mmCIF file of all heavy atoms in Angstrom:
data_model
loop_
_atom_site.group_PDB
_atom_site.id
_atom_site.type_symbol
_atom_site.label_atom_id
_atom_site.label_comp_id
_atom_site.label_asym_id
_atom_site.label_seq_id
_atom_site.Cartn_x
_atom_site.Cartn_y
_atom_site.Cartn_z
ATOM 1 N N GLU A 131 6.398 1.107 25.641
ATOM 2 C CA GLU A 131 5.933 2.458 25.773
ATOM 3 C C GLU A 131 4.326 2.410 25.654
ATOM 4 O O GLU A 131 3.664 3.149 26.442
ATOM 5 C CB GLU A 131 6.408 3.329 24.645
ATOM 6 C CG GLU A 131 6.199 4.780 24.825
ATOM 7 C CD GLU A 131 6.749 5.325 26.148
ATOM 8 O OE1 GLU A 131 7.799 4.934 26.623
ATOM 9 O OE2 GLU A 131 6.046 6.282 26.671
ATOM 10 N N ASP A 244 10.608 -24.901 15.049
ATOM 11 C CA ASP A 244 10.347 -26.134 15.594
ATOM 12 C C ASP A 244 9.910 -27.134 14.524
ATOM 13 O O ASP A 244 10.371 -28.345 14.420
ATOM 14 C CB ASP A 244 9.426 -26.115 16.812
ATOM 15 C CG ASP A 244 9.454 -27.437 17.583
ATOM 16 O OD1 ASP A 244 10.536 -27.834 17.979
ATOM 17 O OD2 ASP A 244 8.321 -28.017 17.833
ATOM 18 N N LEU A 252 15.753 -28.123 8.627
ATOM 19 C CA LEU A 252 16.661 -27.245 9.219
ATOM 20 C C LEU A 252 17.406 -28.092 10.312
ATOM 21 O O LEU A 252 16.766 -28.944 10.880
ATOM 22 C CB LEU A 252 16.060 -25.954 9.798
ATOM 23 C CG LEU A 252 15.618 -24.963 8.922
ATOM 24 C CD1 LEU A 252 14.873 -23.766 9.632
ATOM 25 C CD2 LEU A 252 16.709 -24.402 7.909
#
Side-chain angles (χ1 to χ4, degrees):
E131 190 62 30
D244 194 50
L252 289 175

